Amino acid sequence: DLRLAPWEAVLGATVPVRNLHGGTIRIKVPPHTDSGTEFRLAGKGLPKGKSGTFGDLYAVADIVTPESISPQERILWESLAKGSSFDPRA
């Protein structure tokens, strides 16, 4: 899973992803990324037998919202809701 804050998904971001070998890779998430979007990280997956090569790793976008917000954050979210023409059900 590639956990993203709502603003990272909307605006785009460069975020770290842990690979299967204990390190991290930074990937560029483009603006307007939806939950469920798959990012293919070529050659960063499991080993392919005895060939010495590696398969692909897939990171799947998961947009996460905060469990609690400050009063100031609430004002910002409410302002965004009032000023936005976006309708996710349209």
Side-chain angles (χ1 to χ4, degrees), residues 6-84:
W7 50 89
E8 291 174 323
V10 172
L11 301 173
T14 300
V15 297
V17 175
R18 285 193 300 196
N19 66 27
L20 300 175
H21 312 289
T24 58
I25 307 162
R26 296 190 64 79
I27 65 168
K28 188 171 185 174
V29 175
H32 315 293
T33 296
D34 290 323
S35 278
T37 299
E38 291 184 350
F39 296 91
R40 179 175 163 251
L41 307 172
K44 303 298 182 184
L46 294 171
K48 289 183 173 182
K50 296 180 182 183
S51 68
T53 62
F54 293 88
D56 299 337
L57 176 66
Y58 287 86
V60 181
D62 179 23
I63 300 170
V64 182
T65 59
E67 290 186 26
S68 63
I69 57 175
S70 70
Q72 181 181 0
E73 288 171 318
R74 175 168 294 283
I75 291 168
L76 292 169
W77 282 109
E78 288 171 350
S79 176
L80 176 62
K82 287 177 188 173
S84 178

